[in-house]
Amino acid sequence: MEDSVVVDTAPEAAQPILQEIFAYLETDVAANANRIDQQKSLLFESLQTLARLGLFQLAPPTAAGGLGCSCHTLWHLGLKLGEASGALAFLSQQHQTALSIILEHPDSPVAHTYLGDLMAGKLLIGVGFSHLRHHHEDLKALPTTEGYTLTGTIPWLSGFQHMTMVVVAAELPDGQVLFALLPLINAQQSSGGILHLTLPLPLAAVPSTQTVQAEVIDWLVPPEDVVGIAGADWIEQRDNRQILKGTAAPLGCARASLQVLGTVPEAAELLSGFQDQWQALYTTIQQELTQVNPTYHAQLRSAAVHLAVRAAQAAIITTGGSALLLNHTVQRLYREAMLYMVTGLNSHLRHALLATLLAEEPH
């Protein structure tokens, strides 16, 4: 689907926003993607620009004050973001994910206080719930007469010095999940609660996103900072519904690598084969976007990730030794492809990724 078709099929109020965002990504962001990947100030400026252009108004439903774009429109937006800059795609997704969780609890004090500013991009927030997929016990919440007390660790919080707050998930004694709003800074409460963040982790991919870990000690969450409570199976249900959403950025990354490959005349045959694979996968994903089929969708996402990896490898090989330079485009694309191997890695996706590797083994 061409950009013009994506724009024309979106709600009328969203069309000028999409046009501006697509133009900004194709010009300013794509031209500076290598610097955005390494420099947090440039990433912050790009994120702020997308917020001003209206990026975060597109997904929320009209009933909540958003523009209610379809899943197909939002998927193509994710594709364009992933093609232009993996760091910007990843960090903007943190805010959108936190916003989507708050929208699941529209009557909460947090929604009433912050929802308008979050959709307008006047306030940027991160999210921390990946531990629910593997270690529910990392962060515990206990009900108290004053709200909830959080204790434990949060292993992955992206957006330090980009975001002001973060929505975190903690397991309650009955197995349900509490979502709470915390500041994304080192802080100590008068009641004795402590929130301690590490220095930004030295990530190989998208380092400018400023990812930290957090230690939480007896942190009091008052009622006004409670986003809501979800069932114990929230993360499984969410992953099942949204696993295909995660194919957009890898396919964008793959397309960016294929653009590099297209500048090498002797790689024409290889490029043609990759383009056929890309188009076939794209077409299948478009047909499946409104369906829920976690096992099959994990296979499609695995195919998208592996295509991003192989396309980046091809771009590296045809580029030669200069591809080892940290600030080279194909080096960045290869590291972004690696990021997609571990993003949203639940059991369905891990199995599919490993199965694809086994299928590719020589016999």
Side-chain angles (χ1 to χ4, degrees):
M1 186 183 293
E2 297 298 328
D3 293 350
S4 60
V5 177
V6 175
V7 172
D8 291 344
T9 56
E12 186 175 354
Q15 292 178 14
I17 295 175
L18 286 165
Q19 287 176 333
E20 286 194 83
I21 289 175
F22 285 175
Y24 175 66
L25 292 175
E26 290 174 0
T27 55
D28 297 60
V29 173
N32 294 290
N34 296 342
R35 295 172 61 214
I36 290 171
D37 181 69
Q38 296 294 314
Q39 299 178 31
K40 65 179 182 181
S41 60
L42 290 180
L43 176 58
F44 181 74
E45 291 173 13
S46 300
L47 184 64
Q48 290 285 330
T49 299
L50 286 179
R52 287 195 300 271
L53 291 176
L55 175 68
F56 304 123
Q57 301 174 35
L58 296 170
T62 54
L67 296 175
C69 287
S70 70
C71 62
H72 287 87
T73 298
L74 297 172
W75 188 93
H76 281 87
L77 179 60
L79 175 75
K80 295 293 289 187
L81 280 161
E83 183 178 6
S85 164
L88 185 56
F90 184 80
L91 194 58
S92 62
Q93 186 58 47
Q94 302 302 298
H95 179 86
Q96 293 184 89
T97 300
L99 176 56
S100 72
I101 293 173
I102 293 172
L103 284 166
E104 291 174 4
H105 307 276
D107 297 323
S108 69
V110 170
H112 285 293
T113 302
Y114 298 111
L115 194 53
D117 285 344
L118 292 171
M119 288 191 292
K122 296 177 181 178
L123 175 67
L124 298 177
I125 62 175
V127 69
F129 64 73
S130 60
H131 51 280
L132 293 180
R133 293 190 178 95
H134 312 293
H135 304 290
H136 281 236
E137 69 279 1
D138 277 359
L139 187 64
K140 293 284 192 179
L142 290 176
T144 71
T145 56
E146 298 176 287
Y148 296 87
T149 300
L150 302 187
T151 299
T153 59
I154 310 171
W156 190 273
L157 290 174
S158 295
F160 177 64
Q161 297 181 325
H162 295 294
M163 319 294 205
T164 56
M165 294 185 288
V166 59
V167 174
V168 301
E171 187 180 56
L172 288 160
D174 62 0
Q176 294 190 99
V177 178
L178 171 76
F179 296 103
L181 194 63
L182 272 61
L184 194 51
I185 55 172
N186 287 294
Q188 183 165 356
Q189 296 175 311
S190 58
S191 60
I194 296 173
L195 178 60
H196 178 260
L197 308 180
T198 66
L199 293 173
L201 303 175
L203 299 182
V206 296
S208 60
T209 59
Q210 297 276 101
T211 296
V212 299
Q213 296 176 330
E215 182 181 9
V216 186
I217 302 173
D218 296 332
W219 184 269
L220 175 63
V221 180
E224 61 266 25
D225 290 340
V226 174
V227 176
I229 295 175
D233 64 346
W234 174 83
I235 187 65
E236 289 83 5
Q237 293 297 322
R238 184 183 188 279
D239 283 349
N240 288 345
R241 294 192 310 270
Q242 299 205 14
I243 195 165
L244 266 193
K245 183 178 179 181
T247 60
L251 279 187
C253 178
R255 190 157 71 175
S257 291
L258 296 184
Q259 289 170 1
V260 175
L261 203 61
T263 65
V264 183
E266 57 265 35
E269 184 177 354
L270 180 62
L271 174 63
S272 177
F274 272 123
Q275 288 175 328
D276 289 345
Q277 293 175 42
W278 193 98
Q279 188 62 47
L281 185 54
Y282 168 89
T283 301
T284 302
I285 289 171
Q286 298 312 299
Q287 295 168 347
E288 289 287 322
L289 275 178
T290 58
Q291 309 301 314
V292 177
N293 188 342
T295 301
Y296 179 48
H297 291 177
Q299 294 171 3
L300 293 177
R301 183 155 159 182
S302 172
V305 172
H306 281 292
L307 182 57
V309 172
R310 290 186 292 109
Q313 288 175 333
I316 287 173
I317 292 168
T318 55
T319 298
S322 62
L324 296 176
L325 294 171
L326 185 63
N327 61 354
H328 198 289
T329 295
V330 295
Q331 170 64 220
R332 172 179 57 82
L333 291 170
Y334 190 57
R335 288 182 283 112
E336 288 175 3
M338 178 175 63
L339 168 69
Y340 302 130
M341 294 184 202
V342 295
T343 302
L345 193 60
N346 63 4
S347 57
H348 285 297
L349 184 54
R350 178 183 287 107
H351 176 79
L353 287 165
L354 293 174
T356 302
L357 285 177
L358 288 172
E360 292 176 353
E361 280 191 346
H363 297 287

